[in-house]
Amino acid sequence: LVEEEADGQLVLNQPAGHLDEGETLIDAVIRETIEETAWHIQPTAMLGVYRWPHPTNPVTYLRFAFIARALHEESGRALDQGCLRALWLTPEEIRAGRARHRSPQVERCLDDYLAGTRFPLDLLKEYAPGPAR
């Protein structure tokens, strides 16, 4: 998990972010994980797609969650603004920190992972922009 600042609080979240122009979803997963945790990863499966409307502002979060193998840490690398550190926690420790979860998606992803939910990465289909047909 990532310990990060959000709305003036220290919260726990999986590494997350946005898709940059021209970037594939898998490339974004790798980039965001490095930027927020300093860990290089290799995505191995898709966990699921999670939709969560924020209860106090007009934003709906759409999370594409992935499972990955940790390859190596780039020690000394500066993390994205707001990200304090990467944390390696047991499922029990994650659940015990529920009050600090950035959203209910954190624990739902954990539950799905522990239940064995896995989808192949080729579920994602990427198309390069081009002329309309």
Side-chain angles (χ1 to χ4, degrees):
L1 296 180
V2 175
E3 184 176 46
E4 62 186 356
E5 294 178 36
D7 301 322
Q9 298 181 8
L10 288 180
V11 296
L12 301 174
N13 199 16
Q14 285 96 357
H18 300 87
L19 192 63
D20 287 347
E21 185 68 33
E23 186 175 50
T24 68
L25 193 51
I26 295 298
D27 289 343
V29 169
I30 294 167
R31 177 185 53 75
E32 286 288 352
T33 303
I34 293 169
E35 290 175 356
E36 294 193 2
T37 69
W39 275 89
H40 291 260
I41 61 159
Q42 178 183 7
T44 58
M46 186 167 189
L47 181 63
V49 179
Y50 303 83
R51 181 183 169 276
W52 179 63
H54 194 283
T56 61
N57 68 46
V59 174
T60 295
Y61 293 92
L62 188 61
R63 175 178 293 201
F64 291 78
F66 291 85
I67 299 165
R69 182 171 53 245
L71 301 176
H72 67 276
E73 183 181 20
E74 195 174 318
S75 63
R77 180 188 174 104
L79 303 181
D80 271 359
Q81 184 175 348
C83 293
L84 303 178
R85 62 186 172 144
L87 295 173
W88 295 92
L89 303 172
T90 66
E92 294 76 22
E93 290 169 326
I94 294 170
R95 287 191 178 99
R98 184 178 295 129
R100 293 184 57 210
H101 292 178
R102 184 159 184 181
S103 79
Q105 293 173 319
V106 172
E107 191 166 357
R108 178 60 193 266
C109 288
L110 171 66
D111 292 343
D112 288 351
Y113 175 80
L114 293 174
T117 302
R118 307 284 187 277
F119 298 98
L121 292 175
D122 66 3
L123 176 72
L124 302 170
K125 306 300 181 204
E126 298 279 352
Y127 294 93
R133 296 186 185 162

